[in-house]
Amino acid sequence: MAASIFVAGIGQHSGKTVVSLGLMAGLTRRGYRVHYMKPVGQQLVQMGPDLVDKDVALINVAYD
């Protein structure tokens, strides 16, 4: 059965990405398949031929 966890905050720079990284690490260690989705990005970086949000790039590097 698939389950979803949504991490939300009341503003920028509140630690949502760090919390997401910690949750992903813990769940991955326990054998769960984990996916990350960020619907709205604020700061874009170049990743290969694509422009992606910097937090998405961080997650991708940490779990690729």
Side-chain angles (χ1 to χ4, degrees):
M1 180 174 146
S4 298
I5 298 173
F6 296 92
V7 178
I10 59 170
Q12 292 179 322
H13 311 294
S14 60
K16 297 177 294 289
T17 300
V18 172
V19 168
S20 297
L21 281 166
L23 284 170
M24 289 178 72
L27 292 169
T28 301
R29 272 196 303 265
R30 287 168 179 77
Y32 291 95
R33 287 181 9 169
V34 179
H35 301 278
Y36 179 83
M37 190 269 299
K38 183 170 183 171
V40 178
Q42 299 285 328
Q43 299 174 349
L44 301 178
V45 295
Q46 191 77 36
M47 189 166 204
D50 302 315
L51 283 174
V52 299
D53 183 77
K54 70 176 181 90
D55 293 336
V56 172
L58 172 65
I59 298 285
N60 196 21
V61 168
Y63 289 96
D64 194 22

